Amino acid sequence: MRFIDLQTQYETYKEEMDRAIAEVLASCQFINGPQVAKLESTLAHYVGVREAVGFSSGTDSLLAVLMAWSIGPGDEVITSPFTFFSTAEVIALLGAKPVFVDVRDDTLNMDPHQVEAAITPRTRAIMPVSIFGQCADMTSIHAIAKKHDLSCLEDGCQSFGGTHHGRRSCGLSHAGATSFFPAKALGGYGDGGMVFTDDADLALQLKSIREHGQKVRYHHMRLGMNGRLDTLQAAVLLVKFAHFEDEIKQRQRIARYYLDHLPAGVRGPVVLAENQSVYSQFTIRIARRDQVQAALQQEGIPTAIHYPVPLHHQPAFANIIDKSTLPIATRAAQEVLSLPMHPFLTVEQQDRILDALARAVAQHG
Ligand SMILES: *Cc1c(COP(=O)(O)O)cnc(C)c1O
């Protein structure tokens, strides 16, 4: 059994995929080929924004937006401690300070009620993370950003395709960024990412930043990076995107089945009424998580921990925040366990997982 089954996905789309990749190889337009612009316009339309700019990763997408906003030393950016490292890494890379506010206990997304208290005269932006496939409370957070004249960037690296009040993740604030890392709900065959925005000026700056700050070739107006999305990845993503809506439905069906059959003592993921999750992860919460994970491993059930260390406990941030704060994120890191989740998971496999989980919980829970 696989935690994420990219092999079955490839076998299922093999003909289209091989053709799309062969087209790129035949064209030899590996950089800025037509597939990149096609993917950008296709996904901008899907998200419901005017502009999309492809990048070499989700991390570079987030970094480029903060660069375009000239965030740097002396600035603060409010974000979540319960996320992948790069959310706060990009803030600190630019010399700014990540300011963590705790998450809600039900969704593990940023708690909007704590945001205003964290705003100081140095605050420049708020960076909510939409974790496990479900949007953060973007309505409240974007409203706080507007009220205080701050920029708002949604880290939608896990939530692409998810909706909040019927609108798509990444299109809910000034800018949203996603990742096409292979394990994401919409993943390529390597690294990739994209920024979405209605701000035409921001999009222009992002296009310059991803090519070393140039406006015209070899004329550099500012510092940028080598941050382009490969043509090959764009071609792969166009093939996968054609199946994405079906895959989301499968993920939601699989999540429903898990939720209906979780053993007692296991907390399933909570999705709020205004949200639809893409379940990029199906993450349960459980006492004695490590023992349960080991018992599942013994039975051949692969699991993962997203994430074992909250960001305010990461050695890289040891000098900026008191470890004893943020109790909800701290406890969640000890309880979370992600079960196998991908669109090709069968009911038989889910039953095996659920049976093993019930046994593990009875023994250790
Ligand atoms: C995956 C992920 C990233 C980073 O994306 P990469 O494409 O791996 O650089 C950032 N934030 C979150 C929440 C993620 O899940």
Side-chain angles (χ1 to χ4, degrees):
M1 190 183 302
R2 294 171 177 133
F3 184 69
I4 294 174
D5 192 350
L6 295 176
Q7 287 84 350
T8 300
Q9 190 194 41
Y10 172 58
E11 281 153 25
T12 309
Y13 309 149
K14 183 174 185 337
E15 245 176 72
E16 300 160 73
M17 192 61 86
D18 289 356
R19 202 179 324 120
I21 290 172
E23 268 173 36
V24 178
L25 298 188
S27 79
C28 288
Q29 282 188 270
F30 300 115
I31 302 292
N32 293 342
Q35 289 88 343
V36 175
K38 180 155 185 229
L39 183 72
E40 287 170 339
S41 61
T42 303
L43 298 191
H45 178 78
Y46 176 74
V47 168
V49 294
R50 282 196 278 274
E51 307 279 349
V53 184
F55 275 92
S56 45
S57 69
T59 304
D60 284 345
S61 305
L62 296 166
L63 178 65
V65 174
L66 299 186
M67 286 171 74
W69 288 341
S70 301
I71 285 172
D75 295 335
E76 294 178 357
V77 178
I78 296 171
T79 192
S80 166
F82 195 75
T83 175
F84 180 61
F85 186 66
S86 68
T87 309
E89 181 184 31
V90 295
I91 300 168
L93 262 178
L94 294 173
K97 181 182 174 192
V99 173
F100 299 112
V101 298
D102 212 348
V103 290
R104 287 172 57 135
D105 187 54
D106 52 359
T107 62
L108 300 180
N109 277 323
M110 176 186 276
D111 182 353
H113 294 110
Q114 306 200 25
V115 172
E116 281 196 292
I119 294 174
T120 75
R122 292 178 297 282
T123 308
R124 291 281 314 281
I126 310 175
M127 211 168 139
V129 179
S130 296
I131 203 85
F132 301 152
Q134 168 172 224
C135 287
D137 183 353
M138 295 304 296
T139 306
S140 306
I141 295 166
H142 186 64
I144 295 167
K146 267 173 89 171
K147 179 176 156 197
H148 294 270
D149 202 21
L150 304 171
S151 300
C152 186
L153 167 61
E154 180 190 8
D155 180 342
C157 287
Q158 296 187 12
S159 56
F160 188 76
T163 62
H164 174 70
H165 291 291
R167 290 168 56 209
R168 295 250 181 237
S169 174
C170 294
L172 300 164
S173 60
H174 298 118
T178 199
S179 162
F180 303 126
F181 183 78
K184 309 291 185 182
L186 180 62
Y189 288 162
D191 282 306
M194 198 167 279
V195 178
F196 299 88
T197 183
D198 274 325
D199 181 341
D201 180 58
L202 174 63
L204 262 180
Q205 290 192 62
L206 291 171
K207 285 178 183 168
S208 165
I209 288 170
R210 77 175 166 185
E211 300 209 68
H212 304 286
Q214 65 186 18
K215 199 167 174 194
V216 208
R217 203 167 198 193
Y218 303 134
H219 294 266
H220 303 268
M221 316 307 286
R222 56 168 298 150
L223 299 184
M225 58 166 92
N226 178 353
R228 289 170 301 246
L229 177 68
D230 286 341
T231 310
L232 269 169
Q233 296 309 333
V236 166
L237 288 160
L238 280 166
V239 172
K240 288 219 199 171
F241 181 69
H243 303 279
F244 188 50
E245 279 297 289
D246 284 343
E247 290 196 351
I248 291 175
K249 289 204 186 77
Q250 291 304 318
R251 287 174 174 279
Q252 289 169 342
R253 182 186 58 73
I254 289 160
R256 185 76 262 156
Y257 191 83
Y258 270 142
L259 284 166
D260 288 344
H261 297 89
L262 283 177
V266 174
R267 275 173 88 181
V270 174
V271 175
L272 304 180
E274 64 266 32
N275 293 335
Q276 286 212 319
S277 177
V278 293
Y279 292 101
S280 53
Q281 307 295 348
F282 187 89
T283 304
I284 60 171
R285 290 166 69 184
I286 194 168
R288 280 186 273 281
R289 186 263 323 273
D290 293 342
Q291 288 95 317
V292 170
Q293 184 182 37
L296 289 173
Q297 170 88 42
Q298 287 265 310
E299 300 210 36
I301 311 290
T303 59
I305 296 174
H306 305 103
Y307 294 91
V309 183
L311 297 195
H312 66 300
H313 287 194
Q314 293 290 353
F317 295 131
N319 55 342
I320 62 166
I321 188 164
D322 179 356
K323 276 176 91 163
S324 66
T325 58
L326 311 170
I328 298 173
T330 302
R331 189 158 50 92
Q334 293 157 8
E335 296 177 346
V336 285
L337 185 67
S338 301
L339 302 181
M341 170 51 88
H342 58 79
F344 302 92
L345 202 63
T346 64
V347 172
E348 293 70 36
Q349 288 174 318
Q350 283 197 278
D351 285 339
R352 258 186 68 201
I353 295 162
L354 286 159
D355 287 348
L357 181 63
R359 279 192 297 277
V361 171
Q363 205 186 335
H364 303 284

